[in-house]
Amino acid sequence: TEVEHLDSELWERVRFSVSAGGDNPKAWDTAIRNATVVLEDRMRKLGNIDNINQKATGNGIVNLIFGSNKSVQKDQLPSEELEAYRDLYSGTMKLFRNRYAHRFIDPKPEEGGAIIVFIDLLLKMLDDLDWETENENT
């Protein structure tokens, strides 16, 4: 498959799994698990979460970024859009990250590929937002 458009960090973390066993559902399970960690780590970095709460994970990070503390520039998005971002990323953490982090799911390759591409989109959307600097967050 054509993967040049994928986020480079995402591809680096999933390529061994999917290259070694593209038809193997177990390979996609590992790839999705790694992809959700890439997404969580990206949110942690962009939102300067370690300066706010080093123990935050998953949905806690989402709430810190898009909730009351808002790591995203406050004037960038209307409150309804900010809430929609929060809902989208919260749902992703609850549905994919938590599910794949705690169980072996073994999706069909076409489902696994779709989830990886969806996470790639979420990463691109994060990168397109204006983030507060570390000094603005503290």
Side-chain angles (χ1 to χ4, degrees):
T1 35
E2 189 65 39
V3 294
E4 294 169 358
H5 67 281
L6 285 179
D7 178 270
S8 61
E9 184 180 10
L10 176 64
W11 176 239
E12 185 64 30
R13 294 293 182 168
V14 304
R15 72 185 174 105
F16 294 112
S17 297
V18 298
S19 296
D23 292 333
N24 183 344
K26 292 177 183 175
W28 287 101
D29 177 85
T30 301
I32 292 168
R33 186 174 299 107
N34 289 345
T36 62
V37 173
V38 170
L39 178 60
E40 182 174 313
D41 190 58
R42 182 78 50 87
M43 287 189 295
R44 180 182 302 283
K45 288 175 186 171
L46 291 173
N48 291 312
I49 299 303
D50 285 342
N51 292 334
I52 300 168
N53 180 353
Q54 291 182 339
K55 294 182 181 182
T57 60
N59 203 44
I61 293 172
V62 172
N63 288 328
L64 288 170
I65 290 173
F66 298 109
S68 58
N69 287 335
K70 294 180 186 147
S71 299
V72 175
Q73 288 286 343
K74 292 168 181 58
D75 298 336
Q76 182 187 3
L77 298 172
S79 61
E80 299 84 21
E81 254 186 80
L82 198 59
E83 182 180 348
Y85 270 89
R86 196 212 69 78
D87 292 348
L88 178 63
Y89 286 88
S90 176
T92 300
M93 290 292 111
K94 290 177 182 177
L95 185 61
F96 296 121
R97 180 202 172 269
N98 291 349
R99 190 172 173 214
Y100 281 87
H102 299 289
R103 290 183 179 79
F104 293 117
I105 305 297
D106 300 338
K108 295 176 185 174
E110 56 273 12
E111 293 170 2
I115 293 169
I116 298 293
V117 170
F118 177 65
I119 290 173
D120 181 64
L121 173 63
L122 294 176
L123 290 167
K124 285 175 175 38
M125 290 171 62
L126 285 175
D127 290 342
D128 288 343
L129 293 172
D130 289 330
W131 296 87
E132 291 188 353
T133 64
E134 188 173 333
N135 291 337
E136 292 172 318
N137 263 343
T138 56

